[in-house]
Amino acid sequence: QVQLVESGGGLVQDGGSLRLSCVASGSIFSINTMGWYRQAPGKQRELVATLTSGGITDHADSVKGRFAISRENAKNTVYLQMNSLKPEDTAVYYCNYRANYRSYWGQGTQVTVSS
């Protein structure tokens, strides 16, 4: 089992910045992928960004140039730096951990961007 605890969400104005953090604990495999997904009201959950333990990143086109994912492998922690936030970025942001054919989700953290 893997537990994920997210932090850093909140309310920010259009153009503002936030940094999300997610700490993984439990049965952690050294080779894994951690990332962030989001779900807005009435919409499906979508990829925001992922980062493998080997350093390979993937960002959704909608956030490229504004969001950056990073991680500290020794701390089993992944971050999402969100800059130039827009109202359409408003969603619940979920941390995800994948390894050994299993996937785990955090409880989600709300990000609200006011116009």
Side-chain angles (χ1 to χ4, degrees), residues 6-62:
E6 301 130 332
S7 60
L11 174 64
V12 65
Q13 290 190 332
D14 191 355
S17 298
L18 282 175
R19 189 193 195 205
L20 305 183
S21 301
C22 173
V23 180
S25 62
S27 302
I28 304 297
F29 284 83
S30 59
I31 299 174
N32 61 67
T33 299
M34 295 186 71
W36 294 92
Y37 293 73
R38 67 186 181 186
Q39 187 167 18
K43 295 188 177 181
Q44 290 188 332
R45 192 172 297 189
E46 63 177 7
L47 166 74
V48 177
T50 60
L51 176 55
T52 71
S53 50
I56 298 172
T57 63
D58 184 22
H59 290 77
D61 288 342
S62 60

Side-chain angles (χ1 to χ4, degrees), residues 37-107:
Y37 293 73
R38 67 186 181 186
Q39 187 167 18
K43 295 188 177 181
Q44 290 188 332
R45 192 172 297 189
E46 63 177 7
L47 166 74
V48 177
T50 60
L51 176 55
T52 71
S53 50
I56 298 172
T57 63
D58 184 22
H59 290 77
D61 288 342
S62 60
V63 306
K64 284 180 180 177
R66 300 188 299 122
F67 293 8
I69 190 169
S70 61
R71 60 187 290 169
E72 292 186 75
N73 289 336
K75 296 182 178 180
N76 296 320
T77 301
V78 66
Y79 307 96
L80 185 68
Q81 178 65 44
M82 303 186 293
N83 300 324
S84 302
L85 282 159
K86 305 175 181 180
E88 51 263 44
D89 294 318
T90 295
V92 178
Y93 284 69
Y94 295 92
C95 180
N96 177 261
Y97 167 94
R98 298 198 313 269
N100 198 32
Y101 306 104
R102 294 188 177 185
S103 179
Y104 298 88
W105 295 92
Q107 79 284 358

